[in-house]
Amino acid sequence: MSDWPLPFWIAHRGAGKLAPENTLAAFRLGAACGYRAFECDVKLSGDSVAMLLHDAGLERTTNGHGRAADQDWKALSRLDAGSWHGRLYAGEPPASLEAIAQFCIANRFALNIEIKPTPGHESATGEQVALAAERLWRGSQLRPILSSFSPSALDAARSAASELPRALLIDKPQADWLDIAQDLNCVAVVANHAIWQQQMIDTLHQAAMRALAYTVNDPATADWLTRLGIDGLITDAVDRFSPDTGKACASPMDPGVCSSGTHDR
Ligand code: G3P
Ligand code: MG
């Protein structure tokens, strides 16, 4: 169980919903809230550049149209990935994995890279994201962890960069979850918070693996999972959970520091 890169609290997509997800601006806000570990979604542009984007399509979080997988990074990097969230972030560009790596390495922040393939591109995405991560973090003491809902992507990541730790993501109960995670030599399973049970966490710990939950935004759920022995929580509520104490903040953090994001629509 050594060489584990993540602290207990992890900021989802940079800073949850307080800033435009998966942008460098979100990482900066999450860091301003005290977070030292982040989760982000990474897929490939049409010319195989590893970039941060949750959806296959560009419409929800940028002013672009169509799939990122069909466009070159040069064009994608000029999009506005901030205005959808609010005027404060107008002009914020999509982030490359390289930009996020520079930010995390310079600050010694930990990163959970969720490999989020465009459907049909699972193996290529796993391979290219793992190769990029291996190159970008080479020589760094704090390596990223690669996670995915796609066993194919994790298998390709293992072949490309076997030394980078991997985690299986699961959204719903499935009988073969432990077998899949062990077959892929995963060091952790990251599950939807609603499906964790004491026996699952105990089973993982007996197998020398860790158990993490997403996306935990209320104190009662965080307390319950902590009592079960969960090893990490991924949260949107970076203004409400203190990453240092593991406890919910008594009151929301200074809005001037941590609640500057507004959803205009
Ligand atoms: O990596 C945990 C979580 O981010 C998985 O779900 O849809 O928010 O990427 P999603
Ligand atoms: Mg994700």
Side-chain angles (χ1 to χ4, degrees):
M1 300 268 276
S2 62
D3 203 21
W4 174 249
L6 296 173
F8 190 83
W9 286 98
I10 302 149
H12 189 223
R13 307 185 192 175
K17 300 180 192 304
L18 293 174
E21 64 186 53
N22 288 316
T23 63
L24 188 53
F27 276 66
R28 295 195 201 285
L29 183 59
C33 291
Y35 277 71
R36 297 291 176 266
F38 301 86
E39 183 267 2
C40 63
D41 307 296
V42 177
K43 56 174 40 69
L44 299 178
S45 66
D47 52 344
S48 295
V49 175
M51 61 174 289
L52 277 63
L53 187 71
H54 182 277
D55 303 355
L58 293 160
E59 284 81 359
R60 183 176 64 84
T61 58
T62 79
N63 62 343
H65 300 282
R67 301 191 316 170
D70 298 328
Q71 300 171 46
D72 287 355
W73 173 244
K74 188 173 179 184
L76 293 167
S77 67
R78 293 180 180 140
L79 295 176
D80 180 347
S83 286
W84 70 273
H85 188 278
R87 285 187 296 277
L88 183 64
Y89 292 106
E92 177 70 21
S96 65
L97 182 60
E98 182 170 2
I100 295 300
Q102 286 177 357
F103 179 74
C104 288
I105 293 167
N107 288 292
R108 301 188 182 180
F109 292 156
L111 189 63
N112 171 194
I113 299 172
E114 183 191 339
I115 304 170
K116 188 78 102 180
T118 299
H121 296 222
E122 284 77 11
S123 292
T125 306
E127 178 188 38
Q128 291 302 316
V129 171
L131 286 172
E134 194 282 326
R135 174 176 56 82
L136 292 166
W137 272 266
R138 194 174 297 155
S140 172
Q141 290 187 335
L142 199 57
R143 295 176 305 168
I145 181 166
L146 308 177
S147 64
S148 189
F149 290 107
S150 165
S152 304
L154 289 173
D155 192 27
R158 174 174 57 179
S159 297
S162 61
E163 69 283 9
L164 290 180
R166 291 171 300 283
L168 178 68
L169 274 160
I170 52 173
D171 185 48
K172 297 183 175 64
Q174 56 185 90
D176 54 355
W177 65 279
L178 186 61
D179 290 340
I180 295 173
Q182 289 184 312
D183 286 349
L184 290 163
N185 304 117
C186 289
V187 299
V189 171
V190 184
N192 182 328
H193 66 81
I195 70 171
W196 278 120
Q197 298 172 3
Q198 185 72 70
Q199 187 185 15
M200 292 170 69
I201 294 176
D202 292 346
T203 299
L204 271 179
H205 287 168
Q206 284 158 16
M209 298 165 74
R210 283 175 164 86
L212 281 75
Y214 74 90
T215 306
V216 178
N217 296 333
D218 81 280
T221 304
D223 286 347
W224 169 68
L225 289 165
T226 301
R227 283 198 299 277
L228 294 190
I230 203 87
D231 298 297
L233 299 178
I234 300 174
T235 185
D236 290 325
V238 298
D239 57 338
R240 281 178 277 137
F241 287 120
S242 164
D244 297 324
T245 64
K247 300 286 184 191
C249 298
S251 60
M253 291 176 125
D254 177 358
V257 173
C258 217
S259 297
S260 52
T262 54
H263 289 274
D264 281 352
R265 57 180 177 151

